[in-house]
Amino acid sequence: MENVKVEKYLPLTESTYYTLLTLTERRHGYAIMQKVEEISGGQVTIGPGTLYGALSTLEGEGLIIKVAEDRRRKTYHLTRKGLLVLKAQLNRFELMTRNGHELLAEADTK
Amino acid sequence: MESTTLTMRKLFWAWEDEKEEIWLREMAHNGWHLDQVDFITYTFRKGEPGDIVYRLDYKSTPDADLPEYIELFAAAGWEYAGRLKNWHYFRKPAGEGSSDEIFTDVDSRIKKYQTIIGLLTAIFPSLYLLFVVSDFGERMPPWFTIPFTLFFILIMGFYIFAMLNLINRITDLKKLK
Protein backbone atom coordinates (compact mmCIF):
# COMPACT_ATOMS: atom_id res chain seq x y z
CA MET A 1 0.00 0.00 0.00
CA GLU A 2 1.15 3.48 -0.82
CA ASN A 3 2.74 5.20 2.15
CA VAL A 4 1.54 8.79 2.29
CA LYS A 5 3.61 11.34 4.19
CA VAL A 6 0.82 13.58 5.38
CA GLU A 7 2.98 15.70 7.71
CA LYS A 8 4.57 17.66 4.90
CA TYR A 9 1.18 19.16 4.03
CA LEU A 10 0.53 20.31 7.61
CA PRO A 11 -0.47 22.70 9.00
CA LEU A 12 -3.08 23.59 6.39
CA THR A 13 -4.07 27.23 6.06
CA GLU A 14 -7.63 28.03 7.07
CA SER A 15 -8.74 28.36 3.43
CA THR A 16 -7.04 25.11 2.40
CA TYR A 17 -8.57 23.27 5.34
CA TYR A 18 -12.07 24.51 4.54
CA THR A 19 -11.63 23.81 0.83
CA LEU A 20 -10.65 20.19 1.55
CA LEU A 21 -13.45 19.86 4.08
CA THR A 22 -16.16 20.91 1.62
CA LEU A 23 -14.73 18.57 -1.02
CA THR A 24 -15.73 15.51 0.98
CA GLU A 25 -18.67 15.89 -1.41
CA ARG A 26 -18.14 16.75 -5.05
CA ARG A 27 -18.45 20.49 -5.58
CA HIS A 28 -17.51 23.20 -8.05
CA GLY A 29 -15.74 26.42 -7.10
CA TYR A 30 -18.69 28.62 -6.27
CA ALA A 31 -20.37 25.83 -4.30
CA ILE A 32 -17.20 25.57 -2.19
CA MET A 33 -17.32 29.31 -1.36
CA GLN A 34 -21.02 29.11 -0.46
CA LYS A 35 -20.64 25.98 1.67
CA VAL A 36 -17.72 27.46 3.62
CA GLU A 37 -19.72 30.59 4.43
CA GLU A 38 -22.71 28.48 5.38
CA ILE A 39 -20.97 26.04 7.74
CA SER A 40 -18.84 28.74 9.38
CA GLY A 41 -21.85 30.99 9.89
CA GLY A 42 -20.22 33.65 7.72
CA GLN A 43 -17.05 33.76 9.83
CA VAL A 44 -14.86 32.28 7.11
CA THR A 45 -14.90 33.68 3.59
CA ILE A 46 -12.79 32.39 0.73
CA GLY A 47 -12.29 34.90 -2.07
CA PRO A 48 -12.12 33.71 -5.70
CA GLY A 49 -8.41 34.58 -6.04
CA THR A 50 -7.53 32.57 -2.96
CA LEU A 51 -9.78 29.69 -4.00
CA TYR A 52 -8.44 29.48 -7.55
CA GLY A 53 -4.88 29.29 -6.21
CA ALA A 54 -5.84 26.71 -3.58
CA LEU A 55 -7.61 24.48 -6.11
CA SER A 56 -4.64 24.57 -8.53
CA THR A 57 -2.19 23.77 -5.73
CA LEU A 58 -4.31 21.01 -4.16
CA GLU A 59 -4.90 19.42 -7.55
CA GLY A 60 -1.17 19.57 -8.31
CA GLU A 61 -0.41 17.88 -4.98
CA GLY A 62 -2.96 15.16 -5.67
CA LEU A 63 -5.10 16.00 -2.64
CA ILE A 64 -8.14 16.70 -4.81
CA ILE A 65 -9.16 15.51 -8.26
CA LYS A 66 -11.35 16.86 -11.03
CA VAL A 67 -14.38 14.60 -11.34
CA ALA A 68 -16.41 16.47 -13.96
CA GLU A 69 -15.70 19.28 -16.35
CA ASP A 70 -17.61 21.41 -18.78
CA ARG A 71 -16.41 24.63 -20.35
CA ARG A 72 -17.45 26.89 -17.50
CA ARG A 73 -17.05 24.88 -14.37
CA LYS A 74 -15.03 22.03 -12.96
CA THR A 75 -16.20 19.79 -10.17
CA TYR A 76 -13.68 18.50 -7.66
CA HIS A 77 -13.56 15.78 -5.03
CA LEU A 78 -11.14 14.79 -2.29
CA THR A 79 -8.67 11.98 -3.11
CA ARG A 80 -7.73 9.24 -0.63
CA LYS A 81 -4.52 11.15 0.05
CA GLY A 82 -6.51 14.34 0.57
CA LEU A 83 -8.73 12.58 3.07
CA LEU A 84 -5.68 11.34 5.02
CA VAL A 85 -4.26 14.87 5.15
CA LEU A 86 -7.60 16.29 6.25
CA LYS A 87 -7.93 13.72 9.04
CA ALA A 88 -4.36 14.32 10.20
CA GLN A 89 -5.09 18.06 10.38
CA LEU A 90 -8.29 17.39 12.31
CA ASN A 91 -6.39 15.20 14.80
CA ARG A 92 -3.91 18.00 15.32
CA PHE A 93 -6.71 20.53 15.84
CA GLU A 94 -8.31 18.19 18.39
CA LEU A 95 -5.05 17.85 20.28
CA MET A 96 -4.62 21.62 20.27
CA THR A 97 -8.19 22.17 21.45
CA ARG A 98 -7.90 19.56 24.22
CA ASN A 99 -4.58 20.98 25.44
CA GLY A 100 -6.05 24.45 25.30
CA HIS A 101 -9.04 23.52 27.44
CA GLU A 102 -6.89 21.60 29.95
CA LEU A 103 -4.36 24.33 30.55
CA LEU A 104 -6.90 27.14 30.58
CA ALA A 105 -9.05 25.19 33.06
CA GLU A 106 -5.96 24.76 35.30
CA ALA A 107 -5.23 28.46 35.03
CA ASP A 108 -8.81 29.28 36.06
CA THR A 109 -8.69 27.15 39.20
CA LYS A 110 -5.50 28.79 40.45
CA MET B 1 -19.86 66.94 -28.19
CA GLU B 2 -18.53 65.64 -24.93
CA SER B 3 -16.06 62.84 -25.27
CA THR B 4 -17.13 59.57 -23.66
CA THR B 5 -13.78 57.88 -23.57
CA LEU B 6 -10.53 58.92 -21.96
CA THR B 7 -7.10 57.47 -22.62
CA MET B 8 -4.43 57.82 -19.97
CA ARG B 9 -0.82 56.79 -19.97
CA LYS B 10 0.45 55.57 -16.65
CA LEU B 11 3.05 53.07 -15.55
CA PHE B 12 2.64 50.72 -12.63
CA TRP B 13 5.22 48.06 -11.79
CA ALA B 14 4.13 44.54 -10.92
CA TRP B 15 4.65 45.25 -7.20
CA GLU B 16 2.49 48.37 -7.40
CA ASP B 17 -0.73 46.53 -8.19
CA GLU B 18 -2.42 47.83 -5.04
CA LYS B 19 -1.54 51.40 -6.00
CA GLU B 20 -3.06 50.69 -9.41
CA GLU B 21 -6.24 49.31 -7.79
CA ILE B 22 -6.62 52.50 -5.74
CA TRP B 23 -6.10 54.68 -8.82
CA LEU B 24 -8.74 52.75 -10.81
CA ARG B 25 -11.16 53.15 -7.90
CA GLU B 26 -10.53 56.91 -7.83
CA MET B 27 -11.16 57.08 -11.58
CA ALA B 28 -14.51 55.31 -11.02
CA HIS B 29 -15.38 57.86 -8.33
CA ASN B 30 -15.14 60.46 -11.08
CA GLY B 31 -17.27 58.41 -13.44
CA TRP B 32 -14.42 56.96 -15.49
CA HIS B 33 -14.75 53.19 -15.72
CA LEU B 34 -11.98 51.02 -17.09
CA ASP B 35 -12.72 49.89 -20.61
CA GLN B 36 -9.43 48.51 -21.85
CA VAL B 37 -5.94 47.93 -20.52
CA ASP B 38 -2.88 48.02 -22.74
CA PHE B 39 0.77 48.41 -21.91
CA ILE B 40 1.08 51.75 -20.01
CA THR B 41 -2.24 52.78 -21.60
CA TYR B 42 -5.63 52.76 -19.94
CA THR B 43 -8.90 53.54 -21.70
CA PHE B 44 -11.86 54.66 -19.62
CA ARG B 45 -15.52 55.05 -20.51
CA LYS B 46 -17.65 57.80 -19.01
CA GLY B 47 -20.50 56.58 -16.83
CA GLU B 48 -22.19 57.15 -13.51
CA PRO B 49 -19.71 57.94 -10.73
CA GLY B 50 -19.62 55.13 -8.18
CA ASP B 51 -17.56 53.41 -5.52
CA ILE B 52 -16.18 50.55 -7.53
CA VAL B 53 -13.44 48.32 -6.12
CA TYR B 54 -10.83 47.04 -8.56
CA ARG B 55 -8.70 43.97 -7.93
CA LEU B 56 -5.84 42.54 -9.98
CA ASP B 57 -4.95 38.89 -10.15
CA TYR B 58 -1.87 37.36 -11.73
CA LYS B 59 -2.73 34.08 -13.42
CA SER B 60 0.26 32.07 -14.57
CA THR B 61 -1.65 28.96 -15.61
CA PRO B 62 -2.55 28.39 -19.31
CA ASP B 63 -5.60 30.11 -20.78
CA ALA B 64 -7.46 26.82 -21.31
CA ASP B 65 -9.47 27.31 -18.10
CA LEU B 66 -10.05 31.05 -18.62
CA PRO B 67 -13.89 30.77 -18.96
CA GLU B 68 -14.02 28.76 -15.72
CA TYR B 69 -11.67 31.21 -13.99
CA ILE B 70 -13.79 34.21 -15.01
CA GLU B 71 -16.95 32.33 -14.01
CA LEU B 72 -15.55 31.66 -10.52
CA PHE B 73 -14.96 35.38 -9.97
CA ALA B 74 -18.34 36.25 -11.52
CA ALA B 75 -20.13 33.87 -9.14
CA ALA B 76 -18.52 35.75 -6.25
CA GLY B 77 -19.79 39.06 -7.66
CA TRP B 78 -16.72 40.20 -9.63
CA GLU B 79 -17.09 41.58 -13.12
CA TYR B 80 -14.24 40.89 -15.53
CA ALA B 81 -12.82 44.29 -16.54
CA GLY B 82 -9.96 43.30 -18.81
CA ARG B 83 -6.48 41.87 -18.95
CA LEU B 84 -2.91 42.76 -19.71
CA LYS B 85 -0.88 39.60 -20.41
CA ASN B 86 -1.19 37.49 -17.24
CA TRP B 87 -2.79 40.28 -15.21
CA HIS B 88 -6.55 40.04 -14.94
CA TYR B 89 -8.68 42.99 -13.79
CA PHE B 90 -11.86 42.50 -11.77
CA ARG B 91 -14.29 45.01 -10.30
CA LYS B 92 -17.43 45.19 -8.22
CA PRO B 93 -19.37 47.82 -6.28
CA ALA B 94 -17.71 48.34 -2.88
CA GLY B 95 -19.39 46.62 0.03
CA GLU B 96 -21.48 44.28 -2.11
CA GLY B 97 -21.29 40.54 -1.55
CA SER B 98 -19.26 38.86 1.16
CA SER B 99 -15.89 40.58 0.64
CA ASP B 100 -14.16 43.38 -1.22
CA GLU B 101 -11.07 41.19 -1.52
CA ILE B 102 -10.31 38.46 -4.05
CA PHE B 103 -7.58 37.20 -1.71
CA THR B 104 -8.93 36.42 1.73
CA ASP B 105 -5.64 35.44 3.35
CA VAL B 106 -2.11 36.76 3.41
CA ASP B 107 -0.65 33.50 2.09
CA SER B 108 -2.44 33.76 -1.24
CA ARG B 109 -1.48 37.43 -1.57
CA ILE B 110 2.16 36.45 -1.05
CA LYS B 111 1.83 33.62 -3.55
CA LYS B 112 0.89 36.11 -6.26
CA TYR B 113 4.30 37.81 -6.00
CA GLN B 114 6.12 34.51 -5.53
CA THR B 115 4.72 33.36 -8.88
CA ILE B 116 6.17 36.45 -10.59
CA ILE B 117 9.54 35.91 -8.87
CA GLY B 118 9.43 32.31 -10.08
CA LEU B 119 8.92 33.45 -13.68
CA LEU B 120 11.73 36.00 -13.43
CA THR B 121 14.02 33.33 -12.01
CA ALA B 122 13.13 31.03 -14.90
CA ILE B 123 14.26 33.57 -17.51
CA PHE B 124 17.57 34.25 -15.77
CA PRO B 125 19.51 31.40 -17.50
CA SER B 126 18.56 32.77 -20.92
CA LEU B 127 19.73 36.26 -19.93
CA TYR B 128 22.99 34.74 -18.74
CA LEU B 129 23.37 32.69 -21.92
CA LEU B 130 22.69 35.70 -24.08
CA PHE B 131 25.67 37.55 -22.76
CA VAL B 132 28.26 35.30 -21.22
CA VAL B 133 28.13 31.98 -23.03
CA SER B 134 27.38 33.07 -26.58
CA ASP B 135 30.63 35.03 -26.71
CA PHE B 136 28.96 37.87 -28.59
CA GLY B 137 31.74 40.25 -27.63
CA GLU B 138 34.19 38.67 -30.03
CA ARG B 139 31.85 38.21 -32.97
CA MET B 140 30.31 41.65 -32.83
CA PRO B 141 31.80 44.59 -34.66
CA PRO B 142 33.65 46.80 -32.16
CA TRP B 143 31.25 49.74 -32.58
CA PHE B 144 28.45 47.49 -31.39
CA THR B 145 30.17 46.11 -28.27
CA ILE B 146 29.67 49.19 -26.11
CA PRO B 147 25.95 49.76 -26.82
CA PHE B 148 25.33 46.05 -26.39
CA THR B 149 27.13 45.97 -23.04
CA LEU B 150 25.25 49.06 -21.88
CA PHE B 151 21.98 47.48 -22.97
CA PHE B 152 22.85 44.33 -21.06
CA ILE B 153 23.75 46.26 -17.92
CA LEU B 154 20.44 48.12 -18.21
CA ILE B 155 18.51 44.85 -18.48
CA MET B 156 20.37 43.34 -15.54
CA GLY B 157 19.84 46.49 -13.50
CA PHE B 158 16.13 46.33 -14.15
CA TYR B 159 16.09 42.62 -13.35
CA ILE B 160 17.67 43.21 -9.95
CA PHE B 161 15.42 46.24 -9.33
CA ALA B 162 12.32 44.14 -10.02
CA MET B 163 13.50 41.23 -7.86
CA LEU B 164 14.30 43.47 -4.90
CA ASN B 165 10.95 45.23 -5.10
CA LEU B 166 9.02 41.97 -5.29
CA ILE B 167 10.95 40.52 -2.35
CA ASN B 168 10.32 43.73 -0.44
CA ARG B 169 6.59 43.42 -1.13
CA ILE B 170 6.56 39.85 0.21
CA THR B 171 8.49 40.91 3.32
CA ASP B 172 5.90 43.63 3.99
CA LEU B 173 3.04 41.16 3.57
CA LYS B 174 4.67 38.63 5.92
CA LYS B 175 4.57 41.27 8.65
CA LEU B 176 0.77 41.13 8.42
CA LYS B 177 0.74 37.46 9.39
Side-chain angles (χ1 to χ4, degrees):
Chain A
M1 203 176 108
E2 185 196 1
N3 189 14
V4 185
K5 291 243 183 302
V6 292
E7 280 76 21
K8 72 169 184 180
Y9 300 101
L10 302 183
L12 300 169
T13 65
E14 191 178 60
S15 359
T16 314
Y17 174 72
Y18 271 100
T19 304
L20 286 179
L21 199 57
T22 54
L23 287 177
T24 46
E25 275 177 36
R26 43 164 68 197
R27 283 195 169 87
H28 57 80
Y30 184 53
I32 296 172
M33 294 194 260
Q34 280 182 313
K35 188 67 183 173
V36 169
E37 285 215 41
E38 182 200 316
I39 60 176
S40 70
Q43 287 196 62
V44 181
T45 302
I46 304 183
T50 299
L51 183 62
Y52 180 80
L55 290 174
S56 315
T57 308
L58 290 171
E59 196 186 0
E61 290 172 339
L63 301 190
I64 61 170
I65 191 168
K66 217 175 288 156
V67 286
E69 180 170 9
D70 68 34
R71 220 178 80 84
R72 286 186 161 270
R73 59 170 58 160
K74 286 178 196 151
T75 308
Y76 297 89
H77 193 269
L78 211 59
T79 60
R80 198 183 66 89
K81 187 176 162 191
L83 185 63
L84 289 176
V85 171
L86 186 60
K87 284 183 173 167
Q89 177 66 75
L90 189 62
N91 284 339
R92 197 170 281 195
F93 280 152
E94 276 169 350
L95 176 69
M96 288 164 74
T97 311
R98 200 165 59 238
N99 290 158
H101 283 306
E102 284 163 4
L103 289 195
L104 285 174
E106 265 178 45
D108 281 344
T109 54
K110 271 177 192 163
Chain B
M1 200 181 119
E2 201 194 343
S3 123
T4 54
T5 64
L6 172 70
T7 301
M8 286 186 83
R9 291 185 202 285
K10 211 165 164 75
L11 173 67
F12 291 100
W13 301 109
W15 50 91
E16 292 180 320
D17 52 337
E18 283 175 16
K19 221 170 119 184
E20 187 174 349
E21 291 170 356
I22 292 168
W23 178 65
L24 291 171
R25 187 174 183 174
E26 281 167 3
M27 292 299 289
H29 276 146
N30 298 321
W32 292 108
H33 303 283
L34 187 66
D35 192 42
Q36 208 186 322
V37 198
D38 295 295
F39 183 60
I40 324 186
T41 309
Y42 297 79
T43 312
F44 296 91
R45 191 166 291 280
K46 188 77 182 167
E48 286 297 310
D51 193 11
I52 310 293
V53 185
Y54 281 81
R55 292 288 178 251
L56 274 62
D57 188 25
Y58 189 85
K59 179 181 183 296
S60 58
T61 49
D63 269 354
D65 68 347
L66 195 62
E68 188 216 356
Y69 170 77
I70 293 173
E71 176 70 21
L72 182 64
F73 281 76
W78 294 91
E79 183 197 354
Y80 193 59
R83 78 182 286 184
L84 175 63
K85 306 277 181 205
N86 286 347
W87 288 96
H88 296 266
Y89 292 67
F90 295 93
R91 68 179 158 215
K92 88 178 179 57
E96 252 179 37
S98 41
S99 175
D100 278 353
E101 300 295 339
I102 58 170
F103 295 109
T104 39
D105 61 24
V106 177
D107 290 286
S108 50
R109 283 170 71 191
I110 289 176
K111 213 172 144 198
K112 171 160 132 182
Y113 302 105
Q114 279 171 341
T115 306
I116 303 169
I117 287 184
L119 290 175
L120 278 178
T121 310
I123 64 161
F124 187 78
S126 44
L127 273 182
Y128 183 79
L129 273 173
L130 173 73
F131 193 70
V132 184
V133 183
S134 62
D135 198 13
F136 271 161
E138 307 232 326
R139 277 178 222 159
M140 278 186 297
W143 61 264
F144 193 70
T145 314
I146 290 171
F148 181 79
T149 309
L150 284 177
F151 175 71
F152 186 76
I153 290 170
L154 205 71
I155 296 273
M156 283 312 280
F158 175 72
Y159 189 88
I160 293 164
F161 172 68
M163 278 293 198
L164 289 177
N165 273 289
L166 288 164
I167 292 167
N168 195 17
R169 189 81 198 92
I170 292 175
T171 314
D172 283 348
L173 283 171
K174 280 187 177 159
K175 285 179 197 153
L176 296 176
K177 283 178 86 172

